[in-house]
Amino acid sequence: MKFADLNLPEQVMQGVADAGFSDCTPIQEKTLPLSLGGKDVAGQAQTGTGKTAAFLISLFTKLLRSGRGGERRHPRAIILAPTRELVVQIEKDAQVLGAHCGFTIQAIYGGVDYMKQKNALKEGADVVVGTPGRLIDYLKQKVYSLKEIEMLVIDEADRMFDMGFIADLRFILRRLPPYDKRQNLMFSATLNQRVMELAYEFMNVPEKVAVTPEQMTAERVEQVLYHVGRKEKFPLLLGLLRKEGMERTMIFVNTKREAEFLDERLNANDFPCRVISGDVEQRKRLKILEDFKSGKLPIMIATDVASRGLHIDGVSHVINYDLPQDAEDYVHRIGRTARAGAEGKAISMADEDGAFHLEAIHEYIKDKIPVEWAEDDLFVHDFKRVKPRPKGQETRAKGPTRHGRKHPEAEKKEPEGEKKKRSRPRRKKNPAAGEGGTPPAAE
């Protein structure tokens, strides 16, 4: 199916042409006829298949056809996404696809421009793209209202659950107009039972559309797995970087501490790289992403905060320095390469711990990752060594945790004075207690 066959408004077709689209992807071909017809849709497809364009085209078409109603300053459509990077990407795509529609599009996310975003909402925005935390903050201050919302889009709904956003998501959804007075679209890489329960609760008899090929991973990704000891991982990584000539490479690790240590070691050995994780300040994260996209930065080290929602053209290699503990994350990680029909290579290293996750990954992707055995000459042993930081000196997570995970919106540093005020007072020694200050058992 071609976009020209869908009877889209001229303004939307101009945006589609600007984006360089002509043929629909499978998820677009299945969902657009439904969503353009006014139906609610819950769409499932693997990463990098055009879900963003599918819901943006539907959104702009609906707003153009319905005309302007209600107060000028209140948003008419809201798009919810779990991570700041995904919000930025959606807003960027929306600016291209909606360039000729005349709508004001505003991104709302934590970490930057608090007053600037607040003032933009006050002035009025037709389409708001945001993370739940910052949106709720402004909503409680009555900066904007949700009473004029005509379309709701939830992107990466399963990730909302994973990141502890479900309470915030429900807070927002309960303040929208009734579900039958708006159109609702939900897109995700997986539509499990809990996601569908959310869909049936807040959507109007949604049509479930799944585009899940037998091969879970992108077809054009060449996958390879190396079994390697923990102490041999870095020598092998250096050998691979030298051999493969990786022009734009993403390296995934499981912890921020490992990311920082790997960053120091690679830079010390003349492989320029930067780290992107949930604790990096937002301005720095955006600058790192921009440098990586433009080619100024050849290597980016990332935790799983970056494995979803980022569309970066030309990523030649993805390296799983640590195998992910969640099998789904393997698919999302390697989906950063071979996007939009390009080719790419995904290299994974299974050490003594990582090998335990292989069975779950193979079961999830319904295939086995091809194994290669590294020759001795592939390992580099004459590298510059860097001492790991003592555990007490590592960068501490900023902000509270939720369900054992760091909330992405909690980035503000607590003033030193506040910490002291809240510190627990020293308990006086009980005179009746022994030398250690422990009260007698009877007390």
Side-chain angles (χ1 to χ4, degrees):
M1 180 185 290
K2 295 186 178 295
F3 287 102
D5 302 330
L6 292 169
N7 193 28
L8 298 172
E10 181 59 33
Q11 301 97 312
V12 177
M13 279 304 300
Q14 287 179 284
V16 170
D18 291 347
F21 300 151
S22 59
D23 297 335
C24 295
T25 64
I27 188 65
Q28 292 165 353
E29 186 171 338
K30 284 195 173 186
T31 59
L32 281 171
L34 296 170
S35 58
L36 291 172
K39 290 183 178 290
D40 284 11
V41 175
Q44 174 185 356
Q46 68 186 80
T47 185
T49 54
K51 291 177 289 183
T52 303
F55 65 69
L56 286 174
I57 288 170
S58 300
L59 185 152
F60 291 135
T61 300
K62 179 176 177 62
L63 296 189
L64 285 169
R65 288 176 176 169
S66 69
R68 180 37 128 167
E71 296 183 32
R72 177 73 182 91
R73 70 185 186 90
H74 291 317
R76 300 173 61 194
I78 186 167
I79 303 172
L80 302 173
T83 66
R84 300 165 183 182
E85 286 74 22
L86 185 51
V87 166
V88 171
Q89 186 64 55
I90 293 172
E91 192 260 350
K92 185 178 178 182
D93 292 343
Q95 295 291 358
V96 175
L97 286 168
H100 305 280
C101 297
F103 298 130
T104 304
I105 302 162
Q106 180 62 44
I108 302 294
Y109 53 92
V112 293
D113 300 325
Y114 187 88
M115 290 307 299
K116 185 177 178 182
Q117 291 180 5
K118 184 176 180 179
N119 292 333
L121 274 181
K122 275 185 177 179
E123 290 172 11
D126 297 292
V127 180
V128 171
V129 189
T131 52
R134 179 63 65 90
L135 285 170
I136 289 174
D137 189 354
Y138 293 142
L139 193 60
K140 287 181 176 178
Q141 296 180 49
K142 299 187 176 45
V143 175
Y144 70 108
S145 167
L146 295 172
K147 63 184 180 181
E148 301 294 339
I149 293 296
E150 299 172 42
M151 179 174 277
L152 162 72
V153 178
I154 303 174
D155 196 17
E156 299 288 9
D158 55 343
R159 196 66 164 173
M160 294 281 193
F161 280 95
D162 295 341
M163 297 180 71
F165 266 130
I166 191 59
D168 289 347
L169 190 59
R170 290 179 184 276
F171 181 92
I172 293 172
L173 297 182
R174 285 171 179 150
R175 282 152 182 81
L176 296 173
Y179 63 84
D180 57 345
K181 301 294 183 186
R182 62 176 196 260
Q183 188 174 2
N184 309 280
L185 304 180
M186 179 186 288
F187 285 82
S188 181
T190 56
L191 289 177
N192 51 37
Q193 183 179 351
R194 59 183 182 174
V195 172
M196 289 312 299
E197 285 175 358
L198 185 75
Y200 293 132
E201 182 180 355
F202 292 101
M203 298 173 73
N204 187 20
V205 194
E207 294 270 356
K208 184 177 178 181
V209 176
V211 181
T212 308
E214 291 184 11
Q215 183 179 354
M216 287 291 293
T217 53
E219 291 181 10
R220 294 177 176 267
V221 179
E222 179 191 349
Q223 301 176 67
V224 60
L225 173 70
Y226 290 99
H227 286 276
V228 61
R230 191 178 299 109
K231 292 182 179 179
E232 297 297 317
K233 282 170 71 174
F234 187 70
L236 177 58
L237 175 64
L238 286 182
L240 290 168
L241 288 172
R242 291 180 182 179
K243 176 188 174 184
E244 297 274 344
M246 306 177 187
E247 52 194 49
R248 191 172 298 172
T249 303
M250 291 187 73
I251 302 176
F252 283 100
V253 294
N254 289 343
T255 66
K256 180 173 62 70
R257 178 177 169 81
E258 185 65 52
E260 291 171 348
F261 186 38
L262 190 57
D263 171 53
E264 292 177 2
R265 298 175 90 185
L266 285 175
N267 278 296
N269 286 276
D270 302 320
F271 284 100
C273 59
R274 296 291 299 276
V275 172
I276 179 171
S277 68
D279 291 329
V280 176
E281 186 199 359
Q282 185 63 20
R283 291 183 189 276
K284 289 183 180 178
R285 279 159 73 170
L286 294 176
K287 179 66 167 63
I288 292 168
L289 284 171
E290 192 56 44
D291 287 346
F292 187 65
K293 288 179 181 180
S294 67
K296 291 181 183 177
L297 183 68
I299 300 172
M300 186 168 74
I301 303 169
T303 54
D304 283 307
V305 71
S307 67
R308 292 201 187 196
L310 293 182
H311 180 84
I312 303 172
D313 292 326
V315 175
S316 60
H317 292 75
V318 166
I319 298 178
N320 287 309
Y321 191 74
D322 296 329
L323 276 176
Q325 297 172 352
D326 187 334
E328 288 183 25
D329 285 332
Y330 176 80
V331 175
H332 296 304
R333 286 181 180 188
I334 72 171
R336 297 312 100 202
T337 187
R339 296 181 74 87
E343 294 183 352
K345 188 170 185 177
I347 301 171
S348 300
M349 297 184 187
D351 60 15
E352 296 89 337
D353 294 327
F356 289 105
H357 307 305
L358 274 175
E359 185 178 351
I361 292 173
H362 289 158
E363 185 178 340
Y364 183 74
I365 67 175
K366 299 179 177 65
D367 199 1
K368 287 198 172 184
I369 309 169
V371 175
E372 286 189 13
W373 299 100
E375 300 294 335
D376 291 342
D377 57 359
L378 189 55
F379 293 87
V380 175
H381 293 286
D382 59 341
F383 58 87
K384 295 178 184 175
R385 284 165 169 75
V386 176
K387 288 185 179 180
R389 295 180 187 178
K391 285 192 176 181
Q393 293 181 16
E394 63 188 73
T395 308
R396 295 186 180 277
K398 303 172 187 176
T401 58
R402 173 179 297 193
H403 306 305
R405 298 172 184 266
K406 184 180 183 304
H407 195 304
E409 293 300 317
E411 294 278 348
K412 292 183 180 178
K413 206 168 188 178
E414 188 177 27
E416 198 64 37
E418 292 298 314
K419 291 181 183 177
K420 290 178 181 176
K421 286 179 188 176
R422 289 214 301 264
S423 61
R424 180 180 288 181
R426 210 172 184 180
R427 192 169 66 179
K428 292 182 180 179
K429 186 183 280 190
N430 188 339
E435 192 65 33
T438 307
E443 292 183 38

